[in-house]
């Protein structure tokens, strides 16, 4: 899936200690002022909408023309995930959900992946690319904040994609209607079962 991207770059930033990777693909509708600038990490104030989903999971987002940007902050050392069903879907949980995950590597930054759960029961959603779809994240970034004691306090990912990627069967259109949003994060940076760190809620991203 990396071959769909026209430009890829890795950036290491120290602010106490941050590990970051930026990956830019074809031009996005989100203005540069809404993105990470230089060595400054992305903050929720750059996006017009923020929801404290739980005490440890915060979602911020903004829609600019035909592109959506999402920022997920998890107050733990963990991989990060968010997904959604298409509007009016009768599915709950992971089944037939469109996902984006961020997995952190202290030596290689963060890997943000476009996934789809074509599963009848809960399980690890495979990447779109591995199932015959395409990689449709047009920009991503991520970092983990480490305190002076060496513990990770925040795991954050930011990504952009088109509202309608055209990847039929693997990406759900983000439309002006309520959609069921699924959230999860791991018990560590290792991409494995999330345990009880999961949930879902309804949201209209465009409202």
């Amino acid at each position: 899936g990396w071959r769909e991207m026209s430009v890829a770059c890795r950036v290491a930033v120290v602010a106490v200690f941050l590990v970051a990777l930026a990956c830019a693909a074809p031009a996005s509708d989100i203005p540069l002022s809404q993105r990470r600038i230089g060595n400054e990490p992305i903050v929720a104030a750059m996006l017009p909408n923020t929801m404290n989903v739980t005490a440890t999971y915060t979602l911020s987002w903004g829609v600019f023309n035909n592109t959506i940007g999402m920022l997920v902050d998890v107050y733990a050392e963990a991989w990060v995930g968010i997904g959604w069903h298409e509007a009016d879907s009768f599915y709950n949980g992971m089944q037939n959900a469109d996902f984006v995950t961020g997995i952190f590597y202290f030596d290689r930054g963060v890997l943000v992946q476009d996934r789809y759960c074509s599963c009848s029961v809960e399980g690890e959603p495979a990447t779109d690319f591995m199932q015959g779809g395409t990689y449709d994240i047009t920009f991503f970034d991520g970092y983990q904040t480490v305190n002076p004691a060496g513990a990770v306090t925040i795991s954050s990912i930011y990504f952009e994609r088109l509202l309608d990627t055209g990847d039929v069967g693997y990406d759900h259109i983000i439309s002006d209607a309520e959609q069921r949003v699924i959230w999860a994060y791991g018990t560590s940076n290792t991409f494995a079962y999330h345990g009880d760190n999961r949930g879902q809620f309804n949201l209209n991203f465009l409202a």
Side-chain angles (χ1 to χ4, degrees), residues 43-44 47 49-61 70-75 80-82 154-157 183 185 201:
V43 294
L47 297 168
N49 308 289
T50 296
M51 174 183 292
N52 295 318
V53 179
T54 70
T56 55
Y57 191 106
T58 299
L59 170 65
S60 302
W61 72 96
M70 297 189 199
L71 170 66
V72 178
D73 293 316
V74 170
Y75 295 89
V80 176
I82 187 167
I154 306 174
S155 301
S156 301
I157 63 167
W183 62 270
Y185 62 92
F201 58 92

Side-chain angles (χ1 to χ4, degrees), residues 77-80 104 144 185-193 197:
E77 179 178 0
W79 62 262
V80 176
F104 296 91
Q144 288 185 309
Y185 62 92
T187 57
S188 70
N189 282 342
T190 301
F191 191 55
Y193 183 56
N197 302 328

Side-chain angles (χ1 to χ4, degrees), residues 1 4 114 127-136 167-170:
E4 283 85 14
D114 185 7
T127 64
D128 290 10
F129 185 74
M130 292 296 293
Q131 299 178 82
T134 56
Y135 182 90
D136 295 297
D167 191 10
V168 177
Y170 302 100

Side-chain angles (χ1 to χ4, degrees), residues 9 26 29 38-39 54 57 69 80 89 117 124-125 147 165 174 185 192 201 207:
C9 60
D29 288 313
N39 291 342
T54 70
Y57 191 106
V80 176
S89 171
C117 190
E124 180 181 321
N147 67 20
T165 68
I174 296 175
Y185 62 92
F201 58 92

Side-chain angles (χ1 to χ4, degrees), residues 23 37 57 84 94 110 122 137 146 189 194-195 198 202 205:
C23 180
I37 302 299
Y57 191 106
W84 49 89
M94 296 179 64
V110 63
E122 289 196 2
I137 305 301
V146 179
N189 282 342
H194 45 61
R198 62 178 178 178
N202 292 334
F205 287 105

Side-chain angles (χ1 to χ4, degrees), residues 86-160:
E86 57 189 348
D88 300 322
S89 171
F90 59 85
Y91 288 106
N92 284 289
M94 296 179 64
Q95 186 178 4
N96 292 331
D98 186 2
F99 286 96
V100 174
T101 58
I103 306 169
F104 296 91
Y105 303 90
F106 278 109
D107 59 338
R108 291 183 286 133
V110 63
L111 175 62
V112 173
Q113 293 180 302
D114 185 7
R115 296 172 177 265
Y116 184 80
C117 190
S118 52
C119 45
S120 57
V121 295
E122 289 196 2
E124 180 181 321
T127 64
D128 290 10
F129 185 74
M130 292 296 293
Q131 299 178 82
T134 56
Y135 182 90
D136 295 297
I137 305 301
T138 57
F139 180 91
F140 74 76
D141 199 357
Y143 61 92
Q144 288 185 309
T145 301
V146 179
N147 67 20
V152 172
T153 56
I154 306 174
S155 301
S156 301
I157 63 167
Y158 173 76
F159 65 91
E160 299 169 9

